[in-house]
């Protein structure tokens, strides 16, 4: 594969021979880096001898120097050591030395506090740094602001001694192919960040190990056999943990191990095998089993509690910091889809079909997937106007009342267990029979078509039935477990304590599994949509199905066994066994035959976990799992089954997304008042808004319009001044702003704030204007600048607003713009009286198109160019666009729509059809009511 050397400004020889970074556009840089890395992979088999090429976000292409993992670079004698390494080794040695120097009674407490501090430094401290780097490139901005990597020879480095220290430290670590002076700032920043990570991560791990060692206890009543088993299990978990970490490092290298893609990018093809086929995010999931191994060895509950705490903190770190960054970096939406002529015709057909289903007879038979609107699963989709939802809620309330109001006698316990068993039988056998008949004879659909109903009506009724059976199955199981449970009065027996811990863990595992299955399958797959409509053309394995062919049969019912452990009662254990057995039978007799009929040879034989397990076996034994699966039925057989919609109670994710804590990173709220305003006269400041004045003399802007502001300030104005957008009613004071800007602000000057995002919208700064041009009688020169508020910096509701000019990063107001109104004109519905339906539809489309384009920020990758143009993929991924349209439609047409409706329609034309038909129905109902 030859790399195109013709890119303007790109010298391939200078890059390869002299390792001089080359500047390209970000798009060209990505293409070049991908090709260079592919070329290296095709020409050089030995991975250790390949060069790796990377790029910075601004398009600088460079050779990524070779680095080594944390442990080897610290402990291996063959690796060069610098002053930072020696300091870190001494610091860790001090930790270990304190194990012997501290008195016994203080030792455990001291190491507990030390570990707690380092764990917070890891998950909160490093997490914060990565968060601001991912979203605002703040670490790069700090390095640039303090000129850490500016060569002192330029005369522009205020701390040349620090430069020399950093140069010596970093070049010592990478003596072969790294030059401090020419490396991109982003890469040098990453190397510096690595040193912080080395200190925090190594200290975190060493302090945990020391805490576990100080808590190792022996039970005099413990048998030798049990002690041997405990140590064997503990050591096995620790060894497996080491294997997971090393195998993960083999796949992702130092680049991802140290979060390199937060700083620069390496475009290459990686094979995510090994532990990445065993579990999602293995370094943070199964990569923490070693902590529980230490807890087994220590035989102390405090170690177990701290292990759980550390693991939960790491999962929160993953959810809040890493996962959003990975999604943003590697799952960016493609450009806006543009429909062909055929697709446009199809859209018109759907629009007319939609109209018929509202005002005429329903479409009786269709094999196309139903519109993904008005989902039924999940707390956010509860709609008490829907019979299924109200029935489920009332039955749940009734179950709860009966559970808490009846005594826990043996008779009542037996009744609750029997009720739970009956619901489980109906859920697995009853629902399974219906689906089996639907698969072979289309029984369910035929029944509704017999009475003139549509296939979508059959689908809606099925979803309600299945949802009711599923929720009641788990509600009655929980009620039975509650009746059988007795709160322990003595927690000293290990089976009581460990049973509760493991039970909670298994319940959490089922919750995560259910949520993961729903995220992978969606509403359509969760309710077995391919039994009712045409399936997808190609079967894919993503999400949790990357690791399991059949997650429900493996870990999807872990929670019922967790309840059995917590209650420690035989009836609940039998109920769990019944649940699991019926679920496996459901998959074997209902799902598997249907999937074979639909997909046949496309079904995957081995899951990711099975592949990884096979690779760990000798070649002679790698076929043993297949022979065992082929010769048995039940649990192990289901390793080879198809990923299909599963059973589980739907709940919200285990860890709430706490990114709202960082929602407005650019707030300025440290000090509201500037203590020294001497020398600054508000009369020298002004704000003007560009726009047309209405006939009433007021400024009016359409909803979602960009707002351009021109400011003036004296020559000595503070460079940290800023302009914010507010509702007039929110600020009673004209001198001080007392409400937060919520990110709707722009600084007057560049590089005065750490977040690059705040600079978006600034058009010009400090343009000197001669005093001779002034009309106010003054003769002093002054500065002027322009900024434009767009997108998230706008107010997405109607009202009267103003801009405020603030001094020195605080909230002292130096100037206020004239008030202006953001308005959505009401649609003139009198047109419908004289116009035909087609003309009325065209009028609605004409009114909607500019409104929708404004709501989509007029971004060509998101906003449609015509009424029949499709929305960009980002509309489906980011709900803010649909919410803006929903608000605008409510103001313009007086209709309430759900955001999911806007996303599902996908074009202005279909949305206009929906509005026209809704208005027609509402007018008809109003007329009949009169």
């Amino acid at each position: 594969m030859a790399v195109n050397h013709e890119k303007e400004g790109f010298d391939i020889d200078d890059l390869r021979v002299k390792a001089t970074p080359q500047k390209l556009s970000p798009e060209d840089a990505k293409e070049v880096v991908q090709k260079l890395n592919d070329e290296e992979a095709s020409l050089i088999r030995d991975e250790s001898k390949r060069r790796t090429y990377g790029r910075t976000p601004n398009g600088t292409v460079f050779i990524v120097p070779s680095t080594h993992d944390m442990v080897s670079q610290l402990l291996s004698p063959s690796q060069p050591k610098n002053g930072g390494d020696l300091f870190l080794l001494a610091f860790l040695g001090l930790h270990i030395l304190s194990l012997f120097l501290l008195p016994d009674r203080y030792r455990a407490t001291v190491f507990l506090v030390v570990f707690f501090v380092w764990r917070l430094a890891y998950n909160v401290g490093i997490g914060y740094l990565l968060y601001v780097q991912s979203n605002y490139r703040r670490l790069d901005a700090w390095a640039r602001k303090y000129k850490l990597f500016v060569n002192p020879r330029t005369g522009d480095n205020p701390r040349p001694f620090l430069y020399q220290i950093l140069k010596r430290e970093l070049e010592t670590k990478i003596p072969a192919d790294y030059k401090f002076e020419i490396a991109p700032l982003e890469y040098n920043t990453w190397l510096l960040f690595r040193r912080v990570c080395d200190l925090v991560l190594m200290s975190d791990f060493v302090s945990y190990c020391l805490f576990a060692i100080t808590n190792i206890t022996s039970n005099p009543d413990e048998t030798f056999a049990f002690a041997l088993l405990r140590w064997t299990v503990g050591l096995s978990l620790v060894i497996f943990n080491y294997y997971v970490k090393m195998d993960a490092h083999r796949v992702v290298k130092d680049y991802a191990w140290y979060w390199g893609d937060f700083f620069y990018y390496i475009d290459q093809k990686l094979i995510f095998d090994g532990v990445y086929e065993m579990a999602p995010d293995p370094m943070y999931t199964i990569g923490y089993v070693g902590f529980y191994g230490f807890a087994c060895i220590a035989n102390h509950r405090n170690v177990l509690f701290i292990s759980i705490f550390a693991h939960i903190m790491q999962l929160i770190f993953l959810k809040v910091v890493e996962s959003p960054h990975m999604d943003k970096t590697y799952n960016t939406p493609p450009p806006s889809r543009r429909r062909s002529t055929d697709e446009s015709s199809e859209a018109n057909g759907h629009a007319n079909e939609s109209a018929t289903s509202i005002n005429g007879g329903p479409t009786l038979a269709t094999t196309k997937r139903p519109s993904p609107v008005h989902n039924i699963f999940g707390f956010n989709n509860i709609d008490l106007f829907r019979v299924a939802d109200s029935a489920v809620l009332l039955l749940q309330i009734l179950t709860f009342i009966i559970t808490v109001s009846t005594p826990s006698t043996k008779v009542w316990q037996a009744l609750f267990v029997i009720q739970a068993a009956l619901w489980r039988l109906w859920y697995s056998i009853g629902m399974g029979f219906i689906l089996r008949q639907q698969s072979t004879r289309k029984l369910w659909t035929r029944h509704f078509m017999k009475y003139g109903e549509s296939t979508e009506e059959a689908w809606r009724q099925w979803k309600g039935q299945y949802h009711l059976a599923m929720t009641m199955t788990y509600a009655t199981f929980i009620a039975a477990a509650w009746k059988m449970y007795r709160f322990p009065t003595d927690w000293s027996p290990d089976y009581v304590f460990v049973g509760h811990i493991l039970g909670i863990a298994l319940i959490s595992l089922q919750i995560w599994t259910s949520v993961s299955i729903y995220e992978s399958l969606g509403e359509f797959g969760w309710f077995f949509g391919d039994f009712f409509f045409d399936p997808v053309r190609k079967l894919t394995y993503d999400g949790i199905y990357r690791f399991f062919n059949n997650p429900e049969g493996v870990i999807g019912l872990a929670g019922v066994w967790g309840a059995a452990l917590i209650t420690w009662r035989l009836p609940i254990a039998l109920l769990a066994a019944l649940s699991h057995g019926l679920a496996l039978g459901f998959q074997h007799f209902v799902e598997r035959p249907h999937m074979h009929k639909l997909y046949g040879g496309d079904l995957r034989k081995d899951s990711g976990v099975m592949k990884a397990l096979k690779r760990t076996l000798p070649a002679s034994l790698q076929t043993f799992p297949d022979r065992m699966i082929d010769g048995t039925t039940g649990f192990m057989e289901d390793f080879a089954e198809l990923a299909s919609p599963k059973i589980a109670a739907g709940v919200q994710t285990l860890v709430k997304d706490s990114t709202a804590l960082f929602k407005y990173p650019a707030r300025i709220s440290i000090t509201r008042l500037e203590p020294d305003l001497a020398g600054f006269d508000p009369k020298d400041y002004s704000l003007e808004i560009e726009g047309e004045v209405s006939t009433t003399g007021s400024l009016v802007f359409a909803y979602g319009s960009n707002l351009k502001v021109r400011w003036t300030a004296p020559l000595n104005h503070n460079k940290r001044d800023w302009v914010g957008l507010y509702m007039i009613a929110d600020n009673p004071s004209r001198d001080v702003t007392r409400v937060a800007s919520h990110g709707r602000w722009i600084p007057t000057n560049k590089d005065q704030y750490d977040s690059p995002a705040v600079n978006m919208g600034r058009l010009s700064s400090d343009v000197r204007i001669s005093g001779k041009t002034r009309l106010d009688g003054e003769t002093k020169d002054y500065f002027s600048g322009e900024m434009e508020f767009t997108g998230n910096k706008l107010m997405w509701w109607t009202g009267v607003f103003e801009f405020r000019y603030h001094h020195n990063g605080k909230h002292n107001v130096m100037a206020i713009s004239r008030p202006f109104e953001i308005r959505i004109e009401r649609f003139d519905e009198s047109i419908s009286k004289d116009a035909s339906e087609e003309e009325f539809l065209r009028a609605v489309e004409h009114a909607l198109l500019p409104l929708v384009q404004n709501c989509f920020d007029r971004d060509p990758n998101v906003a449609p160019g015509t009424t029949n143009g499709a929305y960009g993929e980002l509309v489906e991924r980011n709900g803010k666009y649909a919410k803006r349209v929903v608000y605008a439609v409510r103001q313009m047409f007086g209709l309430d729509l759900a955001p999911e409706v806007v996303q599902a329609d996908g074009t202005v034309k279909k949305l206009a059809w929906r509005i026209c038909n809704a208005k027609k129905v509402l007018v008809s109902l109003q007329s009949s009511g009169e």
Side-chain angles (χ1 to χ4, degrees), residues 133 137-150 157-159 166 184-186 188-190 192 263 754:
Q133 174 66 12
R137 315 291 312 177
R138 186 150 310 166
L139 298 187
D140 296 341
W142 287 341
R144 193 173 290 109
K145 177 180 180 180
Y146 295 108
K147 303 178 180 179
L148 295 180
F149 308 116
V150 175
N157 191 325
R159 290 168 288 274
L166 294 175
L185 175 141
E186 292 82 358
N188 283 337
T189 304
W190 176 67
L192 193 59
F263 298 83
D754 295 330

Side-chain angles (χ1 to χ4, degrees), residues 13-77:
D13 295 326
D14 205 27
L15 175 65
R16 283 176 168 165
V17 178
K18 299 181 181 180
T20 304
Q22 303 293 309
K23 184 70 173 67
L24 295 171
S25 69
E27 295 77 14
D28 288 343
K30 182 176 182 179
E31 177 186 349
V32 167
V33 168
Q34 180 72 63
K35 290 182 177 180
L36 286 170
N37 286 324
D38 290 347
E39 186 179 84
E40 289 284 320
S42 62
L43 297 178
I44 304 175
R45 289 187 174 273
D46 188 351
E47 192 172 346
S48 63
K49 296 181 180 179
R50 296 177 192 165
R51 282 184 169 183
T52 302
Y53 295 87
R55 61 182 174 90
T56 64
N58 66 0
T60 300
V61 179
F62 66 103
I63 297 176
V64 180
S66 301
T67 55
H68 300 277
D69 64 272
M70 181 190 310
V71 177
S72 64
Q73 72 177 6
L74 272 179
L75 304 181
S76 174

Side-chain angles (χ1 to χ4, degrees), residues 602-614:
D602 291 337
L603 296 180
R604 182 177 66 177
K605 183 177 181 181
D606 289 332
S607 66
V609 173
M610 182 61 73
K611 291 178 183 178
L613 291 176
K614 283 184 176 181

Side-chain angles (χ1 to χ4, degrees), residues 398-597:
L398 180 62
T399 302
F400 173 78
I401 293 174
I402 295 175
T403 303
V404 298
S405 62
T406 54
S408 297
T409 61
K410 290 185 178 181
V411 173
W412 279 104
Q413 288 176 344
L415 289 175
F416 273 87
V417 171
I418 293 171
Q419 177 188 220
L422 291 175
W423 273 107
R424 173 59 70 174
L425 290 169
W426 168 244
Y427 179 45
S428 297
I429 298 178
M431 295 289 103
F433 174 80
I434 294 173
L435 282 176
R436 179 78 172 182
Q437 294 299 309
Q438 174 68 13
S439 175
T440 57
R441 299 172 47 217
K442 299 299 179 185
L443 174 68
W444 188 270
T445 302
R446 286 175 181 273
H447 172 80
F448 283 88
M449 292 182 64
K450 180 174 68 175
Y451 293 99
E453 301 285 357
S454 67
T455 51
E456 287 209 16
E457 177 62 19
W459 165 246
R460 284 191 291 268
Q461 293 296 332
W462 159 255
K463 288 202 301 181
Q465 282 273 22
Y466 185 84
H467 186 60
L468 175 63
M470 179 188 66
T471 53
M472 287 306 299
T473 296
Y474 281 94
T476 53
F477 180 87
I478 294 171
W482 177 265
K483 278 297 180 185
M484 301 296 295
Y485 179 69
R486 291 292 179 271
F487 189 80
T489 56
D490 181 11
W491 288 86
S492 58
D494 286 338
Y495 74 87
V496 176
F497 175 75
V498 175
H500 278 72
I501 295 296
L502 290 178
I504 294 172
L506 290 175
I507 292 172
S508 301
L509 178 61
Q510 176 164 342
I511 292 173
W512 172 82
T513 302
S514 300
V515 172
S516 299
I517 291 172
Y518 186 78
E519 289 177 347
S520 294
L521 300 178
E523 184 98 355
F524 183 81
W526 182 269
F527 288 102
F528 307 93
D530 48 15
F531 281 71
F532 297 83
F533 301 95
D534 285 344
V536 294
R537 293 182 178 179
K538 183 179 179 181
L539 189 63
T540 58
Y541 294 87
D542 56 8
I544 194 173
Y545 292 99
R546 171 179 168 83
F547 317 104
F548 300 101
N549 285 350
N550 186 6
E552 178 72 12
V554 182
I555 56 177
L557 285 168
V560 298
W561 293 106
L565 285 175
I566 292 174
T567 59
W568 205 251
R569 300 295 294 274
L570 180 60
I572 301 301
L574 294 175
L575 198 56
L578 174 68
S579 301
H580 210 150
L582 289 173
L584 294 175
F586 179 91
Q587 293 157 7
H588 185 70
F589 295 106
V590 178
E591 293 186 58
R592 187 176 183 181
H594 185 74
M595 295 301 112
H596 272 287
K597 182 175 71 173

